[in-house]
Amino acid sequence: MSDGLTLDELLLGHAAGTLPEALDLVVRTHLALSPEGRRRYAIYRALGGALLETIEPVPLRADAWERLERALDRADDRRVEAPRATAAERRDIRVPEPLRPYAPEGFERLPWRNLGPAMEFELPIATPGYRARLIRLKGGKGIPRHTHRGHEITVVIEGSFRDVQGVHRRGDLVIADATVDHSPVADEDCLCLAVTDAPLKLTGPFGRLLNPILRI
Ligand code: ZN
């Protein structure tokens, strides 16, 4: 990552309540869909709680390091229960809870915009400088090759896609930035939430031609 935005930073920001709305939405959607994400987040919270409970404020006692290590051991041992899916989520697996305000009648009823290889719906997010979009790709279809002027944070809601970073499945959170040049392709029909903080830059042979049309 060129300037250090990582999943850990996003989870910490979410725990601290400091993320802009668009980034918080993408993290909440990841947590709603990913048991692994919930486990990781729960460990963060348990660790933070253990440290607060056991570490003295300055000046540090002579045994502070041992106490910290013991606290970390206890946090590792602690059985952290990940939040379970709510009854509503089990009834409607298609719209994760964080996205319900934007798709109250389901994804199918949204006014999708046809972009050729993809369909998109832009969420009305009030975070200056950010765009949050739902993107649908049919299996085998792809987004033209591009890189990023800022960050692109994607959560897979359904299906899967692949790019230079691997195969991404339901619940996965994928961060791409200026160091990533990719052409994501859906393995199967795929629906994603993608948040960007700067326009993408198409890098394929038709990039300049497509750029004004396909502003993904
Ligand atoms: Zn990208």
Side-chain angles (χ1 to χ4, degrees), residues 146 148 152 176 182 184 200:
H146 63 271
H148 315 82
E152 172 192 80
H182 64 171
L200 304 188

Side-chain angles (χ1 to χ4, degrees), residues 20-91:
E21 181 191 357
L23 291 182
D24 206 58
L25 179 64
V26 87
V27 172
R28 285 188 290 120
T29 303
H30 165 63
L31 292 177
L33 293 175
S34 168
E36 168 60 24
R38 290 195 291 272
R39 192 190 65 81
R40 190 177 181 133
Y41 183 64
I43 288 173
Y44 259 126
R45 295 186 66 113
L47 262 180
L51 293 174
L52 288 175
E53 283 162 21
T54 53
I55 302 301
E56 308 274 16
V58 286
L60 286 176
R61 289 163 44 150
D63 62 348
W65 180 246
E66 284 164 35
R67 286 155 59 80
L68 171 61
E69 287 192 319
R70 284 201 300 275
L72 290 171
D73 285 344
R74 281 201 300 279
D76 277 346
D77 291 343
R78 190 175 299 172
R79 287 266 170 211
V80 280
E81 191 69 20
R84 295 183 182 285
T86 64
E89 280 168 344
R90 285 195 292 276
R91 276 199 305 276

Side-chain angles (χ1 to χ4, degrees), residues 157-200:
I157 298 168
E158 274 195 5
S160 63
F161 77 89
R162 68 177 62 227
D163 67 0
V164 290
Q165 300 192 84
V167 178
H168 313 293
R169 299 185 175 84
R170 179 178 165 83
D172 288 350
L173 185 149
V174 188
I175 300 173
D177 63 14
T179 66
V180 176
D181 187 317
H182 64 171
S183 43
V185 174
D187 280 339
E188 50 190 308
D189 289 3
C190 188
L191 171 64
C192 293
L193 169 65
V195 168
T196 50
D197 58 9
L200 304 188

